[in-house]
Amino acid sequence: MNLAPASVPLVYQAIAAVLAPYAREELTGMSCIARGADSIFARAVLDLGGKLEVVLPSRNYREQKVRPDHAREFDDLMRQAAKVHTLPFDQANRDAYEAANEMLLSFCDRLFAVWDGQGGVDKGGTAAAVAEARERGLPVEIVWPDGAARN
């Protein structure tokens, strides 16, 4: 979520490059479409002709977590989603994010993680998702292009 603005095109290009081989097949990407890497991933999936499935961590996710500078992109991705999974949480909190990661890992064949390798503070973050995917034996592709930075 905290990508530096100059990193956005770098991350998009890197994601599109790692997804391109899968675009020949029936590509379906799952994302929570949060601001930053989640939305960049979702946009790349759609741009490559794939289907997008959205996982919303809570019923009020848009109202609670989507900032005005991300609302247009969020709404556009929601309109283009082939399927939306809304988890049964009233608030977008640590439990909701952990459940969202669990759903993503339960349905994916491969995890693409935009990650700088830094450890996370909770089980709902990227570091935890990568660790859990590896523990389950899921293939993990880390995307962190040269020159990318966090705010």
Side-chain angles (χ1 to χ4, degrees):
M1 290 181 61
N2 299 316
L3 289 173
S7 298
V8 170
L10 298 173
V11 169
Y12 176 87
Q13 291 167 358
I15 291 171
V18 298
L19 289 178
Y22 303 98
R24 293 183 202 107
E25 305 165 14
E26 188 173 316
L27 174 64
T28 299
M30 292 185 78
S31 174
C32 294
I33 65 171
R35 180 177 49 85
D38 284 10
S39 290
I40 296 167
F41 172 83
R43 177 63 52 206
V45 166
L46 292 169
D47 289 350
L48 289 167
K51 294 178 188 171
L52 173 63
E53 289 195 25
V54 173
V55 177
L56 294 179
S58 65
R59 289 184 278 267
N60 70 345
Y61 182 81
R62 188 191 189 289
E63 294 79 16
Q64 184 183 12
K65 293 294 182 178
V66 178
R67 295 180 183 169
D69 66 338
H70 179 59
R72 187 174 178 183
E73 176 75 0
F74 181 90
D75 292 343
D76 186 52
L77 292 170
M78 286 290 289
R79 276 190 297 278
Q80 293 184 66
K83 191 169 191 178
V84 177
H85 308 270
T86 303
L87 298 181
F89 292 89
D90 291 325
Q91 301 295 318
N93 56 26
R94 183 172 297 179
D95 291 337
Y97 296 135
E98 287 178 23
N101 275 350
E102 174 59 34
M103 176 173 253
L104 289 169
L105 293 175
S106 294
F107 285 98
C108 76
D109 298 322
R110 176 178 305 274
L111 178 68
F112 294 91
V114 177
W115 185 43
D116 62 1
Q118 299 298 310
V121 295
D122 62 57
K123 291 183 180 180
T126 305
V130 168
E132 182 63 25
R134 287 176 172 159
E135 189 173 300
R136 294 179 185 197
L138 284 170
V140 176
E141 292 197 39
I142 304 298
V143 177
W144 192 255
D146 289 340
R150 296 168 69 171
N151 281 334

